[in-house]
Amino acid sequence: MRFEDAVPWLHLHRLTGGGAGLRQLLEQFGSVDAIYAAPRSELLPSFDGDQAPVDAVLAGPDAGHFETERVWLDDPANHLVAITDQAYPPLLREIPGPPPLLFVRGDMALLGAPQLAVVGSRNPSHGGCDNARAFSSQLTAAGLVVTSGLALGIDACAHAAALDAGGQTIAVAATGLDRVYPSAHRELAHRIAAQGALVSEFALGTPPRREHFPRRNRLISGLSLGVLVVEAALRSGSLITARLAAEQGREVFAIPGSIHSPLARGCHALIRQGAKLVENAPDILEELGALAGFVAASPGAAAPTDATLNRAQQELLELIGFDPVEIDTLVARSGLTPGRVSSMLLLMELHGLIEARPGGRYQRTS
Amino acid sequence: MRFEDAVPWLHLHRLTGGGAGLRQLLEQFGSVDAIYAAPRSELLPSFDGDQAPVDAVLAGPDAGHFETERVWLDDPANHLVAITDQAYPPLLREIPGPPPLLFVRGDMALLGAPQLAVVGSRNPSHGGCDNARAFSSQLTAAGLVVTSGLALGIDACAHAAALDAGGQTIAVAATGLDRVYPSAHRELAHRIAAQGALVSEFALGTPPRREHFPRRNRLISGLSLGVLVVEAALRSGSLITARLAAEQGREVFAIPGSIHSPLARGCHALIRQGAKLVENAPDILEELGALAGFVAASPGAAAPTDATLNRAQQELLELIGFDPVEIDTLVARSGLTPGRVSSMLLLMELHGLIEARPGGRYQRTS
């Protein structure tokens, strides 16, 4: 989004705090233009009768109030994506309470690519970090983007391994993207911006706040087909992410460990609650394959012939065609959910039936 | 069973090989006496037209052919239990193909007590043996008998820990009880005979045979409310025991471990197939409590008041009364399965509502 187009969004984002308030306005009025065109009497209830923000909406957006954002958006690496944009990640749009505006630094097209979240303890064991690295590099090698939260520990191990493997990774921040938290990850954040993407729903300048971390966690799972919990204590942030993932209808995967390790307890609790126990990355790929409904989905297996595609898959493949097409278009054409379409596309890509094109688009290869 | 009563059983046991053949005769004719009273024409089909064993049945049992058994039964520690006896373990009677005759050395009443099978690799890790020991001593402390297969590795660790904790343990042998296999466990077998019980469905003198081990394994699970697999490789005997347990409708429990340990793979496979992941003995007791339908079944919890007993439990408690009563009687009175009755009794015992009496009988305490 160009700065001029962004200003009306940034103005509303600032007035509402960016989350539920802005979503509510959009649902009520239908578009940003309609919000600005609304009479005072209709706006007032949305602001609980508070005159000041209503006055501000009625006064209209003023580019002069967004100098920080103007400078930030001048950097071609930085982007703003609104929920009404085609480029908004389709899986994220599906969750309860999707963020209306996303700040992105890096490769914006990655947001629509099939992602697996890899999360876990901020104080992992050496073995836990090794596991995070091994899964992360195998998942990226299989064509998945590894998404995590830029935190210390497992998050950092997962991001770094994806980068080291030449793969792609997305970090979802709980601060404005002009800050890096924790500051020890400044270098890592730069690498991610260069080779992947940083994402935040929070305005520039937003410092780390306790209440923002669970909001951030719902984006990590919301962007992803599933969440892998590598190591986690009971009552940890990773378990919150896993719960949010389950509520969003995403797969939850957990790595078991010794019954004497406190960091395995969280994973064991998840497995008891129905998370899939996984020993290696192919376990995850198989499960995502089953999700997409493939008969044989293990990586390295022969590409399925038409006979092994079920009817829904065959129909989706026919909808794709040989010109690049966006996921949203396929969702509209097929009537399937974005989650279903994304995982079917991922598996078709792994099987070489289609290929990903710039801009989150796909086309048939044969 | 006294030797004189045993001879007709031992004779048929020897002629039929002791398993399916003898069960079939009993089902067809209804009793041992009826088998001996049957005419040649009715016996022949049961022996596939083979005249020799039919001649032997018609000639009748001859005590002189069972000198080894006579001497063995002279030892007051040794017992024979037929499937038609009251003392036959009720849970075992429930399985498909229960053994018609059991050889028992030690405390025969234990066979009817609530048991948990603890099994695993013959070549466990030190940690695996430690886990087997810890679970085993906690399970015996909670009033369960630990049942296993007298094998090297996890079996031996489980038996020894139960004995060391002053608890009770049952070893199911794949040989005749006048032999010990493996011979390295001669001392352990003696301790078990003195403080628990050895059980076999095989005639005295039977050497270890490959095909007898799965038959033995079905007894380990058949005697037990559930099976705990401590450490197991993929494609191992422990997984066979777990499969048999599931087929018999028994609970399967498995201890997770590092994804890098080959001995955790079998447990992880079981968990994926629906086995309960357990981290400690209370996890097992809770699950057995849930099985019995108690509202709060964690050990150490307050004894349930009448209000926390559901209707089936309250009814069972009323059937028990203040005179000792056998499980079989309660099964007949309640119309519940022996498995259900056994686990309900176990939990009532753990809660102090009833107490176990000699001969596998129970009575109310209040």
Side-chain angles (χ1 to χ4, degrees):
Chain A
M1 205 188 287
R2 289 177 311 162
F3 176 66
E4 304 83 76
D5 300 326
V7 172
W9 280 97
L10 291 166
H11 185 57
L12 292 173
H13 189 260
R14 185 180 290 172
L15 289 171
T16 57
L22 179 47
R23 265 197 311 279
Q24 209 179 316
L25 283 175
L26 283 169
E27 278 163 22
Q28 190 180 341
F29 297 99
S31 72
V32 165
D33 287 349
I35 295 167
Y36 283 109
R40 175 182 298 271
S41 60
E42 288 183 27
L43 286 169
L44 264 175
S46 300
F47 290 93
D48 292 329
D50 190 356
Q51 298 283 356
V54 173
D55 288 342
V57 173
L58 291 171
D62 179 348
H65 292 150
F66 298 97
E67 188 56 18
T68 307
E69 286 76 6
R70 192 191 58 73
V71 172
W72 188 79
L73 274 173
D74 267 351
D75 184 335
N78 295 336
H79 314 275
L80 268 183
V81 189
I83 193 163
T84 50
D85 292 345
Q86 278 284 342
Y88 193 90
L91 275 179
L92 187 61
R93 187 177 279 141
E94 221 184 41
I95 73 170
L101 197 61
L102 292 176
F103 297 76
V104 182
R105 179 167 171 77
D107 181 358
M108 205 175 68
L110 276 193
L111 269 62
Q115 297 161 48
L116 198 91
V118 178
V119 301
S121 172
R122 287 190 302 276
N123 298 294
S125 67
H126 285 291
C129 181
D130 288 347
N131 286 341
R133 295 190 62 91
F135 274 80
S136 191
S137 61
Q138 288 176 52
L139 291 168
T140 54
L144 284 164
V145 176
V146 167
T147 296
S148 193
L150 197 65
L152 295 172
I154 295 295
D155 286 20
C157 298
H159 286 305
L163 295 170
D164 294 347
Q168 290 173 309
T169 188
I170 294 174
V172 185
T175 64
L177 287 192
D178 53 346
R179 291 166 170 251
V180 173
Y181 178 83
S183 56
H185 284 169
R186 189 166 302 277
E187 171 63 23
L188 179 62
H190 286 159
R191 286 183 70 198
I192 294 171
Q195 197 177 325
L198 296 160
V199 185
S200 175
E201 65 171 309
F202 300 107
L204 298 180
T206 307
R209 283 191 194 121
R210 178 186 292 265
E211 66 272 22
H212 284 178
F213 287 89
R215 274 181 70 180
R216 186 272 311 269
N217 291 352
R218 94 188 194 291
L219 257 65
I220 294 174
S221 54
L223 283 164
S224 304
L225 294 165
V227 172
L228 169 66
V229 181
V230 177
E231 266 192 340
L234 291 171
R235 285 174 290 281
S236 62
S238 305
L239 296 205
I240 295 175
T241 308
R243 180 173 54 74
L244 294 168
E247 287 170 9
Q248 292 166 352
R250 308 300 156 85
E251 294 296 302
V252 181
F253 304 97
I255 301 178
S258 164
I259 57 173
H260 305 292
S261 161
L263 289 171
R265 299 261 160 80
C267 291
H268 294 164
L270 290 173
I271 292 166
R272 283 186 180 130
Q273 290 159 26
K276 302 286 183 307
L277 181 158
V278 291
E279 292 178 308
N280 47 45
D283 286 346
I284 294 175
L285 298 170
E286 260 178 49
E287 187 66 29
L288 294 178
L291 189 71
F294 270 90
V295 175
S298 57
T305 62
D306 283 1
T308 70
L309 293 177
N310 67 28
R311 199 168 144 181
Q313 293 152 359
Q314 189 60 47
E315 284 173 6
L316 186 67
L317 194 60
E318 278 159 22
L319 291 177
I320 295 175
F322 296 93
D323 288 314
V325 62
E326 286 172 349
I327 292 184
D328 280 355
T329 310
L330 292 174
V331 168
R333 284 184 189 165
S334 68
L336 300 169
T337 66
R340 186 95 198 279
V341 170
S342 290
S343 55
M344 287 167 80
L345 290 175
L346 166 66
L347 269 293
M348 288 184 183
E349 189 183 352
L350 294 177
H351 283 295
L353 296 171
I354 58 172
E355 61 181 18
R357 308 292 300 166
R361 294 176 301 167
Y362 289 87
Q363 71 180 70
R364 288 184 68 160
T365 53
S366 62
Chain B
M1 203 189 288
R2 291 177 313 163
F3 177 67
E4 304 84 76
D5 300 326
V7 172
W9 280 96
L10 291 167
H11 185 57
L12 292 175
H13 190 259
R14 185 178 290 172
L15 289 171
T16 57
L22 179 48
R23 265 197 312 280
Q24 208 179 316
L25 282 174
L26 283 167
E27 278 164 21
Q28 188 179 342
F29 297 100
S31 72
V32 165
D33 287 348
I35 296 168
Y36 283 109
R40 174 182 298 271
S41 60
E42 288 183 27
L43 287 170
L44 264 174
S46 300
F47 290 92
D48 293 328
D50 190 358
Q51 296 284 356
V54 174
D55 288 341
V57 174
L58 291 171
D62 179 348
H65 292 149
F66 297 96
E67 188 55 20
T68 308
E69 286 76 6
R70 191 191 60 71
V71 173
W72 188 78
L73 274 173
D74 267 352
D75 184 335
N78 294 336
H79 314 275
L80 267 182
V81 190
I83 193 163
T84 50
D85 293 347
Q86 279 284 341
Y88 192 89
L91 274 180
L92 188 60
R93 187 177 278 143
E94 221 186 40
I95 72 170
L101 197 60
L102 292 176
F103 296 76
V104 182
R105 179 166 171 78
D107 182 358
M108 205 174 70
L110 277 192
L111 269 60
Q115 297 161 48
L116 197 92
V118 178
V119 301
S121 173
R122 287 190 301 277
N123 299 292
S125 67
H126 284 291
C129 181
D130 288 348
N131 286 342
R133 293 191 63 92
F135 274 80
S136 190
S137 60
Q138 288 177 53
L139 291 168
T140 55
L144 284 164
V145 177
V146 167
T147 297
S148 193
L150 197 64
L152 296 171
I154 296 295
D155 286 19
C157 298
H159 286 305
L163 295 169
D164 294 346
Q168 291 174 308
T169 187
I170 294 174
V172 185
T175 65
L177 286 191
D178 52 348
R179 292 165 169 251
V180 173
Y181 179 84
S183 56
H185 285 169
R186 189 165 302 277
E187 171 63 22
L188 179 62
H190 287 158
R191 287 183 69 197
I192 294 171
Q195 198 178 324
L198 295 161
V199 185
S200 175
E201 66 171 308
F202 299 107
L204 299 181
T206 306
R209 285 189 195 123
R210 178 187 292 264
E211 66 271 24
H212 284 177
F213 287 88
R215 274 179 71 179
R216 185 271 310 270
N217 291 353
R218 95 188 193 289
L219 257 66
I220 294 174
S221 54
L223 283 163
S224 304
L225 293 165
V227 171
L228 169 66
V229 181
V230 176
E231 265 191 341
L234 290 172
R235 284 173 291 281
S236 61
S238 305
L239 294 206
I240 294 175
T241 309
R243 180 173 55 76
L244 294 168
E247 287 171 9
Q248 292 165 353
R250 309 300 156 82
E251 294 295 303
V252 180
F253 304 97
I255 301 177
S258 164
I259 57 173
H260 306 291
S261 161
L263 289 170
R265 301 260 159 80
C267 292
H268 293 164
L270 290 173
I271 292 166
R272 283 189 181 128
Q273 290 159 25
K276 302 286 185 304
L277 181 157
V278 292
E279 293 178 307
N280 47 45
D283 285 346
I284 294 175
L285 299 169
E286 261 179 47
E287 187 67 30
L288 294 178
L291 188 71
F294 270 90
V295 175
S298 56
T305 63
D306 283 1
T308 71
L309 293 177
N310 68 28
R311 202 169 141 181
Q313 293 152 1
Q314 191 59 47
E315 284 174 6
L316 186 66
L317 194 60
E318 278 160 21
L319 291 177
I320 295 174
F322 296 93
D323 289 313
V325 61
E326 286 171 350
I327 291 185
D328 279 355
T329 311
L330 292 173
V331 169
R333 284 184 190 165
S334 67
L336 299 170
T337 66
R340 187 93 199 280
V341 170
S342 288
S343 55
M344 288 167 78
L345 290 175
L346 165 66
L347 270 292
M348 290 185 182
E349 190 184 352
L350 294 178
H351 283 294
L353 296 171
I354 59 172
E355 60 182 19
R357 308 290 301 165
R361 295 176 302 168
Y362 289 87
Q363 70 180 73
R364 289 184 67 158
T365 53
S366 62

